[in-house]
Amino acid sequence: MANTERTFIAIKMEGMQHDLVGDIIKHFEQKGFRLVAMKFMKAYEEHTKQHYIDLKDCLRLVKYMNSGLVVAMEHHSWQ
């Protein structure tokens, strides 16, 4: 039986503004990922801070990420 790997992917506002969501999903599916969940959401500030904690410009990025909706997705791949 193959191992399943779960991957979180977030499409930020530019991807939505430039109508790239479908192309981005297609790209990951062509690489062997299978979309299992997707939702439009506003990122929670505390979660975003934790996610980007290692980046030098974390606070500016957190403010940007919380300024609009993102597309949050879970993909699975099999190894």
Side-chain angles (χ1 to χ4, degrees):
M1 180 174 217
N3 293 328
T4 302
E5 181 176 303
R6 294 171 21 160
T7 303
F8 170 75
I9 300 167
I11 301 175
K12 299 173 189 168
M13 292 174 293
E14 299 94 15
M16 294 185 352
Q17 290 170 349
H18 296 288
D19 199 26
L20 298 174
V21 175
D23 291 336
I24 292 168
I25 292 170
K26 181 179 176 183
H27 171 78
F28 281 99
E29 288 178 338
Q30 289 174 339
K31 296 292 182 183
F33 291 86
R34 186 179 67 121
L35 178 64
V36 295
M38 178 175 78
K39 68 178 176 179
F40 292 87
M41 63 180 287
K42 184 165 176 60
Y44 294 103
E45 184 173 348
E46 287 306 313
H47 178 79
T48 308
K49 282 181 183 177
Q50 186 64 36
H51 186 74
Y52 290 111
I53 198 163
D54 293 334
L55 296 180
K56 185 173 112 178
D57 200 12
C58 175
L59 294 178
R60 192 176 105 200
L61 183 55
V62 168
K63 184 177 178 181
Y64 166 74
M65 287 294 293
N66 290 311
S67 66
L69 294 176
V70 298
V71 179
M73 298 178 286
E74 179 181 338
H75 284 77
H76 288 184
S77 62
W78 287 265
Q79 302 174 6

